[in-house]
């Protein structure tokens, strides 16, 4: 992906963010989604499934571009509960939200980096789930996710988030 340059030929942060946003729009078409939202769509009356119910009500019949930022901020890791097709249809909303105020601490950004980084030291190890989600994306979408994670890693306010972003990029690279 070509990056914007300033008069000195140096890529500007604002130009890179604008190009990442354009890349997200190209890779993830904004189409109305009417398929399955979560694997529990048929059981949403269960009070244990409040988060899934919120996702269902917020996303069913919408485009990713219609999802309110406030919803994403209240569900910073909601995409982990989505069915595979819904994940492909809506992850772009979380990617765009993660690019907001890129130099500030941000729950959506933190959860995004965490969700796609390997977790071999956790019980249970969720690395396979991250790999499944990455494989669920087409090559252009993977490249876009990778570019967003690279930018986050470069701009992250702390070394832990930088490391996780780098590990997430390495996980994506492992598949290519």
């Amino acid at each position: 992906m070509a990056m914007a340059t300033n008069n000195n030929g140096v890529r500007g942060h604002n130009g890179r963010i604008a190009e990442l946003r354009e890349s997200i729009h190209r890779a993830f078409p904004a189409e109305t989604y009417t398929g399955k939202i979560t694997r529990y769509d048929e059981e949403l009356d269960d009070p244990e499934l409040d988060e899934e119910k919120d996702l269902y009500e917020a996303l069913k019949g919408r485009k990713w571009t219609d999802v309110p930022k406030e919803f994403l901020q209240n569900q910073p890791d909601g995409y982990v509960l989505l069915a595979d097709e819904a994940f492909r249809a809506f992850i772009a909303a979380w990617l765009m939200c993660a690019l907001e105020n890129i130099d500030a601490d941000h729950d959506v950004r933190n959860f995004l980096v965490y969700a796609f980084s390997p977790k071999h030291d956790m019980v249970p190890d969720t690395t396979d789930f991250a790999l499944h989600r990455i494989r669920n994306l087409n090559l252009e979408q993977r490249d876009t996710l990778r570019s967003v994670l690279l930018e986050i890693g470069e701009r992250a306010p702390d070394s832990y988030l930088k490391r996780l972003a780098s590990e997430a990029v390495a996980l994506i690279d492992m598949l290519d």
Side-chain angles (χ1 to χ4, degrees):
M1 152 174 27
M3 294 291 179
T5 59
N6 65 19
N7 292 337
N8 298 326
V10 177
R11 293 186 305 196
H13 290 301
N14 291 337
R16 288 197 320 237
I17 298 301
E19 289 191 11
L20 283 170
R21 288 176 192 202
E22 289 173 23
S23 178
I24 293 168
H25 278 283
R26 279 191 310 272
F28 297 90
E31 299 170 348
T32 302
Y33 182 78
T34 57
K36 189 172 180 104
I37 301 295
T38 76
R39 62 184 195 177
Y40 300 108
D41 284 3
E42 308 304 322
E43 305 167 35
L44 295 177
D45 290 336
D46 184 338
E48 298 283 320
L49 299 172
D50 284 345
E51 287 181 90
E52 287 85 350
K53 185 175 183 176
D54 290 344
L55 285 162
Y56 182 89
E57 290 173 353
L59 304 179
K60 187 73 171 180
R62 290 189 178 219
K63 300 174 187 177
W64 71 261
T65 53
D66 296 336
V67 181
K69 270 189 240 182
E70 298 78 27
F71 176 79
L72 299 170
Q73 291 165 344
N74 289 331
Q75 291 269 355
D77 62 344
Y79 51 86
V80 301
L81 299 173
L82 297 177
D84 287 343
E85 299 79 21
F87 172 80
R88 276 193 310 275
F90 291 104
I91 189 61
W94 276 273
L95 293 175
M96 290 293 259
C97 189
L99 295 174
E100 296 288 322
N101 302 316
I102 191 90
D103 293 316
D105 191 34
H106 195 291
D107 282 345
V108 172
R109 184 177 316 111
N110 296 347
F111 277 107
L112 188 75
V113 170
Y114 191 74
F116 288 104
S117 62
K119 311 284 184 326
H120 301 299
D121 59 341
M122 285 186 61
V123 177
D125 181 345
T126 58
T127 304
D128 285 341
F129 183 70
L131 283 167
H132 171 77
R133 284 302 169 100
I134 295 166
R135 285 184 182 114
N136 193 32
L137 302 173
N138 67 38
L139 290 177
E140 182 181 18
Q141 292 167 337
R142 282 185 204 172
D143 186 49
T144 300
L145 172 62
R146 182 185 187 282
S147 296
V148 169
L149 290 166
L150 275 173
E151 185 68 20
I152 292 170
E154 188 175 302
R155 308 269 297 267
D158 64 67
S159 60
Y160 179 69
L161 198 59
K162 286 180 187 292
R163 181 176 59 80
L164 288 181
S166 175
E167 291 173 1
V169 168
L171 199 61
I172 294 169
D173 290 347
M174 182 182 84
L175 299 176
D176 293 335

